[in-house]
Amino acid sequence: MTAVIEAHGLRKEFTVRVKVGRLRREKRVVAAVDGVDLRVERGEMLGYIGPNGAGKSTTLKMLTGILTPSAGRARVCGLVPVPQRTRLARRIGVVFGQRSQLWWDLPLRDSFDLLRHIYQVPAADHAARLRRCRGLLDLDEFMDTPVRQLSLGQRMRGELTAALLHGPEVLFLDEPTIGLDVVSKQAVRSFLAELGAGGDVTLVLTTHDLADIERLCRRLVVIDHGRVVHDGSIEALHARYGSRRRVVVDLDEPVAEPPEGAVVEADGRRLVFTVDGPAAPVIARLAALPALRDLAIEEPDIEEVVTRLYLSPGAP
Amino acid sequence: MVDLRPYVALFRGQARSLTSYRASFALELSTNVFATVMDVATVLVLFRVSRTLGGFTLHEALLVVGLSSCAFAAADLAVGNIERIKFYVRTGLLDAVLVRPLGALPQLLLMDLPLRKASRCAFGTGVLVVAAATAGIEWTPGRVALVVAAPLAGMVFFSAIFVVSAAVAFWWVETGEIGNAFTYGGRDFTSYPITVYSGWFRRLFAYGMGFAFVAYYPALALLGRADPLGLPVWVGYASPSVAVVAAVAATAVWRVGIRHYRSTGS
Amino acid sequence: MKEGIGVDSVNATGARRVHQNVVVPFRTFTAITGSGFRRYSTYRQATIAGAFTNTVFGFLRCYVLLAVAGAAAHGLAGGYDRAQLATFVWVGQGLLAVVLLWGWTDLADRIRTGDVASDLLRPVNPVLSYLATDLGRAGHAVLTRLVPPVVTGLLFFDMYLPKRWVTGPLFLVSTSLAVLACFGCRYLVNASAYWLQDVRGPMIAWALGSGVLAGLYFPLRFLPDWVAVALWIGTPFPSLLQTPLDVVVERDPPATQAGLVALQAVWVVLLLAACRWVQRRAERKLVIQGG
């Protein structure tokens, strides 16, 4: 396997001026990204999450050639982002959720046409990619509407298309679902899932919405205070922070003697088991209970885990 | 060789954007011309009060104004909107153009080209043509070449000033108005014969920053007048070369500025 | 963030109004004025940049006008001598920022974004509230934007210093009226955003017209008399700069000056009444059409 993205000790410092007293200001150096190591293989779908100001966007900006790292090395598609910016630009796609690549006053159709010229994409390739996006993202009804009149959801579908028309190897998405309604979020997620399923586009996605990650990404990188605090699967995250599935059993009558390992709630009418590994043996055991009314398996809540992660000071 | 087709496409996109505001564009074309009309009208008003200005008659002074207005209006049309750099940073347009496979500066300029300022450019050229026709110039091939080259060089020169003024914002964010002192201030300075000014102020603007070579020295060469300040006549013919120096310097400042932006972020 | 200070103090003082009916509107007004002052004192870089730029333009305009006077008959241009012209230019460069001829788009921006609706929810008339903020801003500008160009002018040029005692108070009155008149003009230009989608047209027209017609580029006395008189009586522009500047350089006898200041006062009344009327029409439009 070849790594599409490689970063070693990536660091970005900003100088901020802090007001000290009435007139004096002091310069302070703040590390927005503080030694990030990252290796992403071709075709991976990577969720890059962290609280506000953790350094997500800054990392993305360094990988896309917008910002120069203060220290460390990065290679994307084998290129060094800032010095080889224009070459890299042809091979990556970037979607900023709150910023637009489209021409405000022009219909989407015209924006797409302009982008074909800017990236100098052969007409046939361009047409084929556009056809695919139009189909998957239902663009047809607003292809001729000026971008300024599009809803946020429609615009985001346009942005995704715009970022893909030159056939990028890596697609960077910075908060692609921010501010979208539920339906548009679903549309964007299914599109990205479809795109990732092909296996030839690498996706790097920052988000606040963990549902994006659960739906799309098998690998999750959590960053906090500029450092990577978790890199692995979602399951690994749960395992590491002890979040487990729960089996909840409701009974018609209170049990006299609760089974082993159960927490009794609701005056003995509810039993709660936490499960490591497969739930089937537990369920089999419970099915024999008299007066069983209902049984539910609750998946661990990723939000909760991540919140705990953010809150824990000086996480490893 | 740089492939210009993507840039042509950007220009077409900008022109097409305007068609969605046809009525307001027409209005803006007509209101914008007044900026240049005012500059010229101001000179006419001053000559109502006094017969000469800095030792120059109205017709001679109009040639200076014509060269200055024409050059400034053209630069303002082509490059003037770069003074919106702060806005580009805030709205993310700068980031957006940085992830595209083209130069950042030409993209910014072409994506926000203020075509409404074309009317100023046309008016400035008109003033120059009228002034050149009525100033009693004895036309020689050299002067014909100069009357064409000088406004073009002036345009490049003012463009360089615009770019440098904007690039300073990469270091010092709230510089917007300081830039005006040198862009619009430069236009005002070049609108009059530099004999009007004096002392260190004249030395600084005229020679230190090179504004004397935009309109004043070319006008002297066209008129065949000796410079009251003592520089030889050939300076007028050589003055377009100052624009080259300015352009090179501006490109360098822009490059350093954008590198600074990329190392500090938004 | 920019509006934060203003909003807080308006709400805080607005709530008290219920209990103390007579005193508080004035207190509200002064509180908003104070917040306007403080808000502008946070824009330190912009203030320095602005003062610097006005000073550069001061040199440019001063040299040009002095050259005009130097070549004019009897050394008098439009009835001003060289020292008077220097004072005219340098005080003008400062007053330009005090009356704030250009660069005020607060109201238009709030109308465009729809934030203006929250102005209507406050218990203070929007015109008064914006005016109070603007007076705070003007007060800040007197200290930070008027002084630097005037000091520069004194250092590098022979400036005319007023000789009549009455000029001082009259200049103060005239400048205050100029601030009010200019606020009225700006408010009306901005308010066009209630009806127009794109206010760049009116904004550009205002920026271009106001500079030359207010006497910034050259004293209006350089124009033929009938034009100058028509401008003075028929338009508010000379009341924005030319009148206070004529007062400070003592261009006319005291009686004439008092008359010009009275004319300013008439324009202030007319402009503020127009603002109120326009604001009412706009509110009715907002309420009925929902913006």
Side-chain angles (χ1 to χ4, degrees):
Chain A
M1 287 256 257
T2 46
V4 182
I5 301 172
E6 275 180 292
H8 298 287
L10 209 56
R11 181 178 167 86
K12 183 71 203 173
E13 291 167 356
F14 293 116
T15 321
V16 287
R17 282 169 194 279
V18 190
K19 218 172 165 180
V20 185
R22 258 190 89 71
L23 288 169
R24 245 161 36 83
R25 279 173 207 207
E26 227 168 57
K27 279 188 185 180
R28 267 180 217 163
V29 176
V30 178
V33 173
D34 191 4
V36 165
D37 296 321
L38 200 61
R39 189 183 156 88
V40 184
E41 308 294 337
R42 186 169 300 279
E44 260 194 291
M45 293 175 85
L46 175 78
Y48 196 64
I49 65 168
N52 279 332
K56 304 186 295 281
S57 295
T58 309
T59 313
L60 242 56
K61 283 182 176 180
M62 286 191 281
L63 294 178
T64 51
I66 295 174
L67 285 180
T68 314
S70 312
R73 289 176 290 127
R75 273 181 181 275
V76 178
C77 304
L79 301 168
V80 184
V82 171
Q84 294 174 298
R85 173 178 77 78
T86 48
R87 281 179 63 194
L88 178 63
R90 290 182 198 282
R91 298 177 59 181
I92 60 171
V94 184
V95 175
F96 293 117
Q98 290 168 309
R99 298 177 164 189
S100 186
Q101 275 287 349
L102 303 169
W103 277 254
W104 200 238
D105 295 319
L106 294 183
L108 271 183
R109 186 188 299 282
D110 291 12
S111 280
F112 296 155
D113 189 50
L114 282 171
L115 288 166
R116 177 168 81 80
H117 288 100
I118 288 171
Y119 286 91
Q120 295 179 298
V121 185
D125 294 355
H126 185 268
R129 287 178 194 132
L130 184 55
R131 211 175 310 123
R132 179 158 178 244
C133 290
R134 283 170 75 157
L136 287 171
L137 288 166
D138 290 326
L139 302 177
D140 286 344
E141 50 181 309
F142 50 86
M143 277 289 277
D144 293 302
T145 314
V147 171
R148 63 170 190 274
Q149 291 169 11
L150 296 182
S151 73
L152 193 57
Q154 290 172 331
R155 208 201 79 200
M156 186 46 66
R157 286 187 262 167
E159 299 281 355
L160 282 170
T161 308
L164 290 167
L165 288 174
H166 55 286
E169 295 161 44
V170 189
L171 184 60
F172 291 96
L173 301 135
D174 193 6
E175 303 279 3
T177 56
I178 198 164
L180 298 190
D181 61 78
V182 182
V183 178
S184 301
K185 271 187 188 178
Q186 282 305 339
V188 168
R189 280 176 200 147
S190 347
F191 175 75
L192 292 176
E194 166 92 24
L195 188 72
D200 37 41
V201 181
T202 310
L203 279 174
V204 177
L205 170 80
T206 79
T207 185
H208 267 98
D209 191 339
L210 294 164
D212 291 344
I213 304 284
E214 286 189 300
R215 172 76 203 274
L216 293 171
C217 307
R218 228 167 298 143
R219 182 172 162 207
L220 183 64
V221 171
V222 185
I223 179 172
D224 192 20
H225 291 100
R227 288 163 182 272
V228 174
V229 292
H230 174 82
D231 183 351
S233 63
I234 293 176
E235 291 76 31
L237 187 70
H238 288 311
R240 184 164 153 201
Y241 289 93
S243 54
R244 294 173 196 148
R245 286 195 289 179
R246 305 195 318 159
V247 176
V248 180
V249 182
D250 284 319
L251 303 168
D252 282 331
E253 300 160 11
V255 279
E257 211 171 290
E260 194 186 332
V263 176
V264 183
E265 289 175 9
D267 301 328
R269 284 173 201 273
R270 169 174 283 184
L271 302 176
V272 180
F273 301 85
T274 46
V275 190
D276 278 319
V282 181
I283 294 170
R285 197 149 56 86
L286 292 173
L289 278 176
L292 175 70
R293 189 161 54 139
D294 200 1
L295 185 150
I297 302 175
E298 289 182 354
E299 291 296 324
D301 186 9
I302 185 175
E303 298 254 3
E304 206 177 289
V305 182
V306 172
T307 313
R308 283 219 309 264
L309 201 59
Y310 294 167
L311 291 176
S312 62
Chain B
M1 195 57 213
V2 184
D3 189 347
L4 289 177
R5 276 173 302 174
Y7 297 105
V8 174
L10 277 172
F11 175 76
R12 276 209 320 268
Q14 172 64 14
R16 221 177 306 157
S17 300
L18 290 172
T19 57
S20 64
Y21 297 102
R22 212 165 298 172
S24 95
F25 179 66
L27 182 74
E28 285 184 61
L29 263 182
S30 47
T31 47
N32 259 279
V33 75
F34 282 102
T36 312
V37 172
M38 295 288 184
D39 294 342
V40 178
T42 301
V43 175
L44 294 177
V45 169
L46 299 183
F47 271 96
R48 226 188 71 80
V49 178
S50 131
R51 201 161 300 183
T52 63
L53 205 54
F56 285 70
T57 65
L58 174 60
H59 281 294
E60 293 169 329
L62 270 185
L63 188 61
V64 177
V65 176
L67 285 167
S68 163
S69 308
C70 184
F72 182 83
D76 195 18
L77 168 64
V79 181
N81 263 21
I82 198 64
E83 68 185 9
R84 281 155 51 86
I85 187 77
K86 246 170 65 186
F87 172 79
Y88 300 150
V89 170
R90 199 178 63 229
T91 57
L93 184 63
L94 184 56
D95 289 353
V97 303
L98 279 173
V99 296
R100 292 195 197 138
L102 300 177
L105 180 59
Q107 282 190 79
L108 291 175
L109 294 177
L110 286 168
M111 287 185 74
D112 196 26
L113 197 65
L115 286 173
R116 59 180 184 278
K117 292 177 180 170
S119 53
R120 296 182 186 182
C121 200
F123 180 80
T125 312
V127 173
L128 177 60
V129 168
V130 171
T134 57
I137 298 170
E138 290 171 32
W139 292 103
T140 63
R143 285 186 179 145
V144 172
L146 183 60
V147 84
V148 176
L152 292 175
M155 171 191 171
V156 172
F157 186 88
F158 275 122
S159 300
I161 300 285
F162 269 114
V163 169
V164 172
S165 302
V168 174
F170 286 126
W171 286 278
W172 196 23
V173 182
E174 298 296 331
T175 45
E177 271 207 84
I178 288 210
N180 290 355
F182 303 102
T183 52
Y184 300 92
R187 176 201 60 193
D188 284 9
F189 185 88
T190 53
S191 294
Y192 299 93
I194 63 166
T195 46
V196 161
Y197 313 100
S198 62
W200 60 268
F201 184 80
R202 175 167 71 198
R203 284 197 294 279
L204 178 68
F205 263 77
Y207 306 112
M209 288 186 267
F211 282 110
F213 307 102
V214 171
Y216 176 71
Y217 282 107
L220 286 181
L222 288 172
L223 295 165
R225 271 190 66 155
D227 177 21
L229 303 171
L231 289 194
V233 181
W234 61 261
V235 171
Y237 291 96
S239 48
S241 58
V242 173
V244 179
V245 179
V248 171
T251 313
V253 171
W254 174 265
R255 290 233 168 105
V256 178
I258 201 135
R259 203 177 305 149
H260 183 78
Y261 164 75
R262 302 172 117 202
S263 65
T264 53
S266 43
Chain C
M1 186 201 91
K2 209 168 153 189
E3 299 293 330
I5 307 164
V7 175
D8 289 349
S9 45
V10 171
N11 287 342
T13 42
R16 253 183 278 137
R17 186 185 185 187
V18 185
H19 308 291
Q20 308 172 338
N21 230 341
V22 190
V23 199
V24 177
F26 178 71
R27 280 241 297 257
T28 309
F29 194 84
T30 50
I32 305 173
T33 305
S35 78
F37 186 98
R38 284 193 301 278
R39 175 182 143 190
Y40 275 86
S41 54
T42 58
Y43 305 153
R44 211 176 335 158
Q45 284 194 351
T47 303
I48 296 169
F52 172 80
T53 305
N54 288 156
T55 304
V56 172
F57 278 96
F59 277 105
L60 290 165
R61 291 189 180 130
C62 196
Y63 278 121
V64 170
L65 291 190
L66 291 183
V68 172
H74 318 296
L76 284 181
Y80 304 90
D81 66 20
R82 290 171 59 92
Q84 281 175 314
L85 284 173
T87 302
F88 190 97
V89 167
W90 287 105
V91 177
Q93 287 307 113
L95 277 191
L96 167 65
V98 174
V99 302
L100 191 66
L101 217 45
W102 302 317
W104 190 75
T105 57
D106 292 15
L107 176 64
D109 291 342
R110 286 179 73 81
I111 295 170
R112 192 172 43 78
T113 57
D115 291 346
V116 74
S118 66
D119 294 346
L120 304 182
L121 296 175
R122 299 178 194 167
V124 187
N125 182 311
V127 180
L128 275 183
S129 151
Y130 279 103
L131 176 61
T133 312
D134 201 58
L135 292 182
R137 178 205 57 74
H140 181 255
V142 167
L143 299 179
T144 58
R145 302 289 298 272
L146 178 61
V147 174
V150 170
V151 170
T152 311
L154 284 169
L155 286 175
F156 293 100
F157 295 88
D158 289 327
M159 278 173 63
Y160 178 88
L161 301 175
K163 297 185 173 52
R164 308 192 284 246
W165 70 266
V166 70
T167 297
L170 201 58
F171 176 65
L172 201 66
V173 173
S174 181
T175 301
S176 310
L177 289 171
V179 170
L180 293 172
C182 194
F183 166 79
C185 292
R186 282 184 274 121
Y187 196 93
L188 292 174
V189 173
N190 271 255
S192 67
Y194 281 120
W195 289 274
L196 300 176
Q197 270 213 326
D198 184 359
V199 290
R200 272 186 301 182
M203 289 282 182
I204 292 173
W206 160 256
L208 293 177
S210 61
V212 72
L213 298 179
L216 179 70
Y217 298 145
F218 51 81
L220 297 178
R221 311 286 180 117
F222 281 17
L223 294 168
D225 283 344
W226 64 270
V227 178
V229 171
L231 280 177
W232 237 291
I233 296 175
T235 77
F237 296 109
S239 298
L240 308 181
L241 276 181
Q242 177 79 34
T243 299
L245 294 175
D246 272 349
V247 166
V248 79
V249 302
E250 299 176 339
R251 167 69 172 68
D252 305 294
T256 314
Q257 301 216 314
L260 288 175
V261 174
L263 185 57
Q264 268 188 303
V266 172
W267 271 111
V268 166
V269 172
L270 289 176
L271 285 165
L272 292 183
C275 289
R276 219 183 119 116
W277 182 76
V278 164
Q279 181 63 32
R280 283 222 182 125
R281 291 290 302 258
E283 284 169 22
R284 204 175 310 152
K285 172 177 172 287
L286 283 183
V287 173
I288 293 169
Q289 303 175 3

